[in-house]
Amino acid sequence: MLLRLLIATLLVGLASGSSCVDTCSSPSLCNPITKPLAAKETLVFTTLSSADWKSYDWTKITTFTIFSGGDDDAVAEVTCLAHAFGVRVVKGEQFPMDDIYDNDAMKAFIDSKVDEAKRLGLDGLNFDNEGLTGTADILAQRIHEVKVAFKAEFEAPQISFDLSISPKNGQGDGYDFTRMNDDLDFQLPMAYDMCWGAKVATANSPINSDVAGLQQYVDLGVPASNVVLGLPWYGWAYKCTVDSAANSTEPCTVQDYVTDWYGEVAFQWGLDDITAAWNDNGQPPITLDESTQTKFFTYIDSSTSSLMQCWFDDHETLSKKYQIAEEYRGIALWTSDMVRIGGSNYDDMWDALPVRN
């Protein structure tokens, strides 16, 4: 209750504006954070699809990363509140790969990101360029240029990069993990969507694959202290073949598809959506797959008559995966928007997070 009152107080007097100092009731909160980067991270991704962030428990967060959501006023408002709790705010970004070899274009891109960070009170950038090949050297060079540019303007900027959970198997020659480590504050392997293309319903983030992927980064020369494990606050719903049984406690066979696996027979659903499907379809038995530390249930959809199976993580399965990440730099969550305030999952999911601030 006291935390919510403090948040409400901080947000009083916010005005409309195109920069942080125009928007924030306390302009000093627009100054970038200068304290050292967190030794243990809880990075929370958001698309700002709701205003729930105004009531988050900010003592559980070290970095708030905004991906493809919110106008400048909304971003500045987030920065104002987050900085009051000592939480860094960074924006998700991608290198423009069509221009990656063009020095003038890349300088203009980097300069624009520095200017944006200064205007909105941001603390850095989180890059997400996936599936690259043949770009290891130039990408490492551009990351170095970003870090130099931000260090020239900010005392303690944070630059990070989202990457595959399986760097030896999934990212080929597109990334030089050792050179990138020289300039990145941490690398963030995304331990989700490992079920992509599955013919049998399976886990989004199997714990054994999480462990193996983290070790691959260490094997490639990235210190454990520079690796943050990305974990999902969402799961997957699969359309099952008719030979699977309703209420089955076994993984079902996924239906064949015509054009696209994703969107025809497999779907990403936020945890709240999965809970709603469970409630709306008779609350079928939930099975824990011990080998992957993932839960699932099977049901006949009451609106479509399709046989469905949902695989998901909740506060119990994620707690085990959080514990693994404590041996590294910490955790990241994709995304907080998928667990809404007032829903049945909210308290449990936030309570399971470690206190950081």
Side-chain angles (χ1 to χ4, degrees), residues 296-323:
F296 68 92
F297 60 87
T298 313
Y299 67 98
I300 297 176
D301 189 291
S302 58
S303 61
T304 65
S305 298
S306 296
L307 186 62
M308 303 291 295
Q309 192 168 86
C310 291
W311 285 66
F312 64 99
D313 284 287
D314 63 7
H315 66 285
E316 293 179 339
T317 62
L318 285 170
S319 290
K320 296 181 183 299
K321 297 168 186 180
Y322 296 161
Q323 290 172 11

Side-chain angles (χ1 to χ4, degrees), residues 340-354:
R340 297 294 305 278
I341 288 177
S344 60
N345 298 303
Y346 184 83
D347 288 342
D348 285 339
M349 290 293 279
W350 281 90
D351 287 348
L353 296 173

Side-chain angles (χ1 to χ4, degrees), residues 280-298:
D280 292 344
N281 292 280
Q283 298 185 348
I286 294 175
T287 300
L288 173 65
D289 183 57
E290 293 281 357
S291 65
T292 64
Q293 281 299 304
T294 307
K295 296 181 180 181
F296 68 92
F297 60 87
T298 313

Side-chain angles (χ1 to χ4, degrees), residues 88-299:
R88 283 180 164 84
V89 179
V90 305
K91 284 195 75 173
E93 192 54 72
Q94 290 185 324
F95 282 108
M97 296 309 297
D98 288 345
D99 295 328
I100 197 71
Y101 291 98
D102 185 326
N103 290 333
D104 291 338
M106 290 307 303
K107 184 179 186 306
F109 167 77
I110 294 169
D111 288 347
S112 72
K113 296 305 159 185
V114 171
D115 290 343
E116 179 183 50
K118 291 166 66 176
R119 179 168 50 84
L120 298 178
L122 301 172
D123 299 285
L125 295 173
N126 170 257
F127 284 97
D128 188 311
N129 289 86
E130 301 178 31
L132 302 182
T133 58
T135 55
D137 288 341
I138 191 63
L139 185 64
Q141 177 184 326
R142 299 310 186 197
I143 291 171
H144 175 71
E145 291 166 1
V146 169
K147 191 58 178 286
V148 169
F150 270 79
K151 285 289 287 184
E153 298 289 341
F154 300 90
E155 184 172 337
Q158 182 191 98
I159 308 297
S160 60
F161 208 112
D162 305 334
L163 295 157
S164 168
I165 187 60
S166 301
K168 291 184 178 180
N169 305 325
Q171 299 212 310
D173 62 352
Y175 310 83
D176 186 331
F177 300 95
T178 304
R179 280 186 63 194
M180 289 164 63
N181 186 67
D182 292 339
D183 293 294
L184 292 173
D185 294 297
F186 51 85
Q187 300 183 38
L188 199 161
M190 299 173 287
Y192 33 79
D193 296 344
M194 285 183 268
C195 55
W196 197 274
K199 296 182 178 180
V200 175
T202 190
N204 187 15
S205 182
I207 195 168
N208 50 340
S209 298
D210 298 346
V211 171
L214 290 170
Q215 184 59 48
Q216 286 185 26
Y217 277 86
V218 175
D219 293 344
L220 288 167
V222 182
S225 59
N226 283 12
V227 180
V228 171
L229 178 63
L231 290 166
W233 276 21
Y234 69 93
W236 282 84
Y238 304 94
K239 285 186 177 180
C240 304
T241 57
V242 293
D243 59 345
S244 302
N247 297 331
S248 173
T249 57
E250 297 296 327
C252 77
T253 301
V254 180
Q255 290 183 15
D256 292 332
Y257 59 92
V258 177
T259 305
D260 295 309
W261 178 82
Y262 176 67
E264 287 187 35
V265 297
F267 313 88
Q268 290 179 342
W269 286 359
L271 182 58
D272 281 354
D273 295 329
I274 289 173
T275 300
W278 181 73
N279 283 321
D280 292 344
N281 292 280
Q283 298 185 348
I286 294 175
T287 300
L288 173 65
D289 183 57
E290 293 281 357
S291 65
T292 64
Q293 281 299 304
T294 307
K295 296 181 180 181
F296 68 92
F297 60 87
T298 313
Y299 67 98

